[in-house]
Amino acid sequence: MVLNTPVFSNQEHSTPQTKNIDKHCTGLDFSNPAGLQQIKILPPAFMTRRAEDKEFFHQRYKDQQALVKERLELGYRRRGYKELSGHQVGPVREEGLRSETLKSKAGELFVAAVPRKQDLRSNWGKGSLERLHQKLFSLDEPYVEGNRKFLGFLRIDTDRIWASVEECCLFYRLLAHDGQIACEPHFLVGLKLDDGRFIRPHAIWMLPKGAAIWNEPGKEGWRRGPVDLFHSVYFGLCHALLEAGADAGAPAASQQVKCPLSPEWHTVCPQDVRFPDLSEHAEYLELNHNREVLLRRAAGVQTGMGIVGSNEIFNFCQKKAYEILNGWHYSADAQFKFDYQNKTFGLIVDRLHTELEGALVNGAARSKRNDAAHASLIIAKVAEYAVSHWNPNILQQSKKNRGVLMHVVEGQKTLKERQVTAAQYSAQKNAERTLNSIENAINSLSDKGIGVTKANLARESGISRPTINKYWSELTLKFGLDKI
């Protein structure tokens, strides 16, 4: 007989009644020692599940090893069409491993700069990364995330579409020759179309072995200085690469990059000799830049509108973007709440982009230059930046909005000159706002059928009588008011 649980009986103190109970419950007579030999105790259920799990994981390991063997022997194969970097790409076939075919030190450093297989995250898009628990297959995917605890490379996300790979390489070669950057990047990774165009490549500089930056705030012994230098060098590279379409809005330390070892991309190694550390990079770069100012400069350079036109549109869109986000928040917009809680920020960016386009059409900023393509690029930058930096806990921003008057003080060298120009600009804007308030008050009085006098106008607008007197002559000419 088989029992699922052991049965214990005190035979020394058992009575005939208890013996009968034992026999009745188990079918065995515990007074007979021979009966005890028939008992077989099964293991607990959790031990059975453990054995089943062991078999499952063992089989999964064997399947993974078989797939790895097939990948190594047959190479990379992908059938059908998929969307990549905004384009439909056809089947891909590549023999061997990209890390071996490149034959570069940078390739070895990149493999070392990504986490171990259990922590390595990758995917086909930037939205959500996943763990495949197999480093070989993760590095085959188009997007991969480097080690965020030890920053081993600098990645600049560029938005320019080059006529050819050679044109892109020449651009970086000239920058390095002119001393604007320390050296050419170790990788240029992007999509190469059939017509030869090179689509939005990532430029990657590997840090030398042992020079990775420890990035675990709060850990004992961690220092902020090296991480701050990393950010300064990153923004310095963004400034140097503005003409390449450098996107300063991308997080500096995210380490999410177009994988140079993925067969899905076209990877170029411009150089594999020089590996400068952060200090060497800093010697060639301007380090006094921040993200917001760079976004404004990028809008002017990459749209071709110049700093005046682009900065006016940028200011309008930035202010409107935060107004829209705050409005969605306070009105408990269901779609916004759902997307924000589920961290699908891309959907919020797309929706905000649409709203800003409509606001710009109706706003005064578009009337100064009606260029939909250029304005759309500025809107895209503002929408992405606003969503990534919007904080529901701090809706009233006390932080300085840097770069607002960049188009006004452009070309002025000294601080005193910039301060005088900014003060004049501020006074002009204050005067315009005051005059607009007075004009709105005149329209309001007329609608109510009240006479437009200086006293009534001061009460309606909340503006002092001396200020009303200051603009009265101008208002008389514009509205035909009586000279009271």
Side-chain angles (χ1 to χ4, degrees), residues 453-460 465 468:
T453 65
K454 294 180 181 179
N456 291 339
L457 200 54
R459 282 192 292 268
E460 181 70 19
R465 183 69 174 264
I468 299 293

Side-chain angles (χ1 to χ4, degrees), residues 300 305-315 368 406-408 410:
M305 298 176 65
I307 192 62
V308 176
S310 67
N311 208 45
E312 288 175 347
I313 295 178
F314 194 102
N315 289 338
K368 297 188 178 181
M406 184 185 298
H407 60 293
V408 178
E410 181 73 11

Side-chain angles (χ1 to χ4, degrees), residues 287-319:
L287 302 183
N288 56 338
H289 295 286
N290 60 65
R291 178 176 278 111
E292 187 165 347
V293 171
L294 283 173
L295 284 173
R296 294 176 181 275
R297 291 195 177 278
V301 172
Q302 295 164 19
T303 61
M305 298 176 65
I307 192 62
V308 176
S310 67
N311 208 45
E312 288 175 347
I313 295 178
F314 194 102
N315 289 338
F316 176 84
C317 291
Q318 185 187 53
K319 181 179 179 181

Side-chain angles (χ1 to χ4, degrees), residues 176-197:
H177 179 269
D178 294 340
Q180 297 185 48
I181 56 177
C183 64
E184 298 173 64
H186 300 105
F187 296 115
L188 291 171
V189 189
L191 182 63
K192 184 180 179 182
L193 302 183
D194 294 337
D195 59 6
R197 285 182 297 163

Side-chain angles (χ1 to χ4, degrees), residues 363-402:
R366 176 63 68 88
S367 63
K368 297 188 178 181
R369 178 164 181 169
N370 189 12
D371 196 326
H374 291 161
S376 181
L377 190 149
I378 296 176
I379 290 172
K381 289 183 176 295
V382 171
E384 187 172 357
Y385 178 81
V387 171
S388 62
H389 288 77
W390 181 80
N391 186 347
N393 299 320
I394 314 175
L395 294 182
Q396 299 298 328
Q397 298 290 341
S398 59
K399 179 180 165 183
K400 291 182 179 179
N401 192 2
R402 300 186 181 278

